[in-house]
Amino acid sequence: MSEIDHKAALAATLAAGFSRRNLLKSAGAGVGLLAASAAGMGAAQAAPKKGGTITLAWLDAIDTLDPHFTMSGGSIKVINNVYNGILKVAYDGKNVSFAPDLAQKWDMVDEKTHVFKLRAGVKFHNGDVCDAAAVKWSLERVADPEVKSPHAWKFAQLAGIDVIDPLTLRLRFTKPFAFLPVALTGSTGRAGTIVSKRAVEQHGKAFGRNPVGTGPFKFASWKENDTIELVRNPEYFEAGLPHLDKVVLRLIKEPSAGVAAMMSGQVDGLSVCPFQFIPQLRKNPNLSVYGQVEGNYAFIGMNNKRAPFDDIALRQAVAFAIDRKVIVQQSYFGEAIPAATCISPPMTGFYDPNIGKSGRGQYFDLAKAKAFRAKARNQGEVNPVFIVTEGFTGSGGMGTRNAQLVTPMLAQIGIKPKIELVDRAVWAQRRNAGDFDMYDEAWIADLDPDETITPEWSTGKPWNFVGYSNPAFDKAAAAASEITDTAARRKLYIEAEEVLMADAPLAVLAHMKVFKIMSKKVQGFEYIPADLLNLHTVSLA
């Protein structure tokens, strides 16, 4: 592909997103109505009212409100309301795209050079000006190897940042970077979330408990295991927003308690909801249920660095012994679809809706599983350690349910896992240290195939907890990240997926729906299928 073709492809993509800016801004209520109609609301909503406090039952875990360090979907939802990115995630009721946020203009000088013109007059919550120098410092914080941000990989090809004038900066990359629009969002991207330099220097490691951004809401307090409170930012740059005076997040560990509070009207919404409660909530005429299959995949990871799963034949046997339809119905209560690969439906242009019938990827085939099992080095009974943790994480995969369903399936091929139920902190520590044979997890809020497979399965990457390595996969995944033509990227991702699924360092399970529940008195809620929760457009009837 020529440099001109590359530039034209990315420029066209960016132009399309930016040309929709005014439409998206003015049609925010319409987006909310479309999602609401799908959930059974349908009726027109009244003009937004100023003031009021919304109270949400917060079921998903929050690790830190420092966007450059969080690995939690629950944190991202909060961060999305406290900070801004250079770009933001937008949704028109059908497709996810990227729209301007702190940036007003994006010029592509060449395939490796990007110039951003920022909004004038934007201030951090502490009164400091958010200008080109502030944005430069924030981006360089992520990229700095001394900082050790888990999102530094998103700027691995960043050669430098230049401040051209107080509101203009230039990003220079060593290679073309197709993932850049996602990386620069202020929510799921995290690398492009802009933080206050003075606040970071003032609070140090405690910045995650004292966040300062430019977003529609300012951080007010965090009471451990109780509440997080946000208050309206009166100087927010989007005119007339936010409508609410205050947001109260009630931190609830027990999902049934959160659902009970929602059903009884004690709270105005649920940040996320376990699958088994959805039928009950749908029947409540005072509630709106939002949800669809989002960018995610649940899977079982197998430790490639030690026996028994350093044996590819044994891993392949596991991959084909699992009946995904049973997992979908019994673990996710039908609120998911079977996964054959990691790439999920929201990734338009990359996901194949007919993959289940194509023979590609992983699927249930007991005969094939037994054939692979017959090739394994260990022909005796295998008893791998399967670590699990209880507690609802928001997007499925965690807890004993999947392990209990998978265990009898694997018993048919002579694999009988020893399930070890551990505290979530211990689980994370053991996962990170590679102290397991099997573990289950769900990667969530993915908007691009690059973040779906590259940091998790490329050789030596920090999220590659199973220690998988294959140069053919690495080459295809890296090449796909450096071009922007969708057809060419799709071909490379199929190539990478074929290698990954055949090597089976993981057994993919499902792509899940992600649910958010709101009271009917909540007006203007904009559902975005990226595990986000936008509250700046919300008002109370």
Side-chain angles (χ1 to χ4, degrees):
M1 189 175 191
S2 71
E3 290 185 356
I4 294 177
D5 287 340
H6 178 102
K7 181 176 178 180
L10 184 54
T13 300
L14 300 179
F18 273 68
S19 67
R20 295 172 59 224
R21 176 180 57 188
N22 293 330
L23 173 63
L24 287 166
K25 186 173 181 180
S26 63
V31 174
L33 280 171
L34 181 57
S37 178
M41 286 181 65
Q45 297 188 13
K49 294 181 181 178
K50 279 289 186 181
T53 297
I54 190 172
T55 302
L56 304 176
W58 211 263
L59 301 184
D60 21 18
I62 297 177
D63 53 2
T64 175
L65 295 181
D66 184 336
H68 299 164
F69 284 90
T70 183
M71 294 290 289
S72 164
S75 294
I76 290 173
K77 291 188 182 80
V78 184
I79 284 166
N80 191 46
N81 292 282
V82 175
Y83 300 90
N84 295 100
I86 293 177
L87 302 177
K88 64 182 178 182
V89 180
Y91 183 56
D92 62 3
K94 183 177 181 180
N95 296 309
V96 171
S97 61
F98 306 97
D101 203 6
L102 291 176
Q104 283 192 315
K105 185 180 180 183
W106 184 346
D107 289 326
M108 187 175 175
V109 178
D110 57 46
E111 72 275 13
K112 296 181 288 187
T113 309
H114 308 266
V115 175
F116 297 91
K117 185 72 173 180
L118 303 177
R119 294 177 183 267
V122 177
K123 292 184 178 181
F124 289 100
H125 299 151
N126 60 7
D128 292 351
V129 174
C130 181
D131 55 10
V135 172
K136 178 178 187 291
W137 182 89
S138 188
L139 299 180
E140 288 179 340
R141 179 186 185 230
V142 179
D144 185 352
E146 295 297 319
V147 173
K148 298 181 179 179
S149 166
H151 306 292
W153 67 270
K154 299 168 186 176
F155 289 152
Q157 305 299 334
L158 182 63
I161 305 176
D162 310 307
V163 173
I164 297 174
D165 62 47
L167 290 176
T168 309
L169 73 161
R170 176 171 53 227
L171 273 63
R172 293 175 284 107
F173 290 84
T174 59
K175 298 178 180 180
F177 188 31
F179 184 68
L180 188 61
V182 181
L184 292 181
T185 63
S187 50
T188 183
R190 287 164 284 186
T193 309
I194 306 305
V195 303
S196 163
K197 176 183 179 182
R198 180 159 66 95
V200 169
E201 293 175 343
Q202 176 184 348
H203 295 289
K205 292 183 178 180
F207 175 72
R209 290 296 184 107
N210 299 274
V212 177
T214 58
F217 294 97
K218 300 163 59 174
F219 174 79
S221 66
W222 185 341
K223 296 179 181 177
E224 191 71 27
N225 298 319
D226 185 20
T227 57
I228 290 176
E229 294 187 357
L230 311 176
V231 295
R232 188 171 71 90
N233 175 11
E235 297 186 40
Y236 186 54
F237 55 77
E238 288 196 60
L241 297 176
H243 304 302
L244 298 168
D245 287 333
K246 190 175 184 179
V247 176
V248 177
L249 311 179
R250 288 177 52 185
L251 308 180
I252 300 176
K253 290 187 177 181
E254 177 51 50
S256 59
V259 172
M262 186 80 250
M263 293 290 288
S264 64
Q266 297 176 46
V267 296
D268 303 307
L270 283 172
S271 63
V272 71
C273 185
F275 306 97
Q276 63 266 35
F277 295 110
I278 294 302
Q280 177 185 7
L281 292 164
R282 282 186 173 130
K283 293 177 182 177
N284 190 318
N286 299 316
L287 304 180
S288 297
V289 177
Y290 301 84
Q292 63 188 56
V293 173
E294 299 197 356
N296 56 44
Y297 62 102
F299 65 93
I300 294 174
M302 292 168 275
N303 196 332
N304 289 211
K305 295 182 290 185
R306 72 186 194 190
F309 291 120
D310 57 348
D311 183 349
I312 184 173
L314 197 65
R315 300 196 305 266
Q316 291 170 324
V318 170
F320 287 98
I322 297 173
D323 190 337
R324 277 92 180 158
K325 292 181 180 179
V326 172
I327 300 292
V328 165
Q329 291 303 318
Q330 297 187 29
S331 191
Y332 301 109
F333 295 84
E335 304 291 355
I337 61 173
T341 71
C342 301
I343 293 177
S344 52
M347 297 175 198
T348 306
F350 301 102
Y351 176 75
D352 177 5
N354 297 313
I355 193 167
K357 302 176 182 178
S358 69
R360 284 188 54 228
Q362 297 176 353
Y363 47 88
F364 175 55
D365 187 328
L366 189 56
K368 182 175 286 190
K370 288 180 177 179
F372 280 123
R373 182 69 177 90
K375 297 177 182 179
R377 292 193 300 265
N378 187 344
Q379 288 299 302
E381 183 176 290
V382 178
N383 304 113
V385 174
F386 193 156
I387 61 170
V388 299
T389 183
E390 285 292 10
F392 180 67
T393 62
S395 300
M398 311 287 269
T400 58
R401 186 178 294 274
N402 279 349
Q404 290 171 341
L405 289 171
V406 166
T407 296
M409 298 178 188
L410 300 185
Q412 297 180 82
I413 56 171
I415 300 175
K416 297 182 179 180
K418 296 179 180 178
I419 300 174
E420 291 190 9
L421 177 62
V422 296
D423 177 79
R424 179 166 176 76
V426 174
W427 177 90
Q429 183 181 41
R430 290 183 61 177
R431 178 201 64 177
N432 296 355
D435 182 15
F436 62 88
D437 295 321
M438 308 173 77
Y439 81 104
D440 77 320
E441 186 162 25
W443 288 115
I444 64 172
D446 290 349
L447 298 174
D448 185 273
D450 194 33
E451 65 180 331
T452 292
I453 62 173
T454 301
E456 295 89 348
W457 309 109
S458 296
T459 302
K461 294 293 186 181
W463 300 351
N464 185 349
F465 303 114
V466 303
Y468 171 66
S469 180
N470 187 320
F473 171 84
D474 295 343
K475 181 179 179 180
S481 72
E482 296 172 10
I483 59 175
T484 56
D485 178 76
T486 298
R489 290 187 79 202
R490 176 187 171 88
K491 183 177 180 181
L492 285 165
Y493 282 124
I494 288 176
E495 181 181 331
E497 279 191 312
E498 293 293 339
V499 174
L500 183 65
M501 294 297 100
D503 286 348
L506 76 161
V508 290
L509 301 178
H511 302 301
M512 298 79 63
K513 294 181 181 179
V514 179
F515 292 98
K516 301 167 186 67
I517 317 299
M518 290 290 162
S519 164
K520 287 284 180 71
K521 70 178 182 179
V522 174
Q523 304 286 308
F525 177 68
E526 298 179 353
Y527 172 75
I528 297 181
D531 206 23
L532 302 179
L533 195 65
N534 288 345
L535 298 175
H536 66 295
T537 59
V538 166
S539 63
L540 297 174

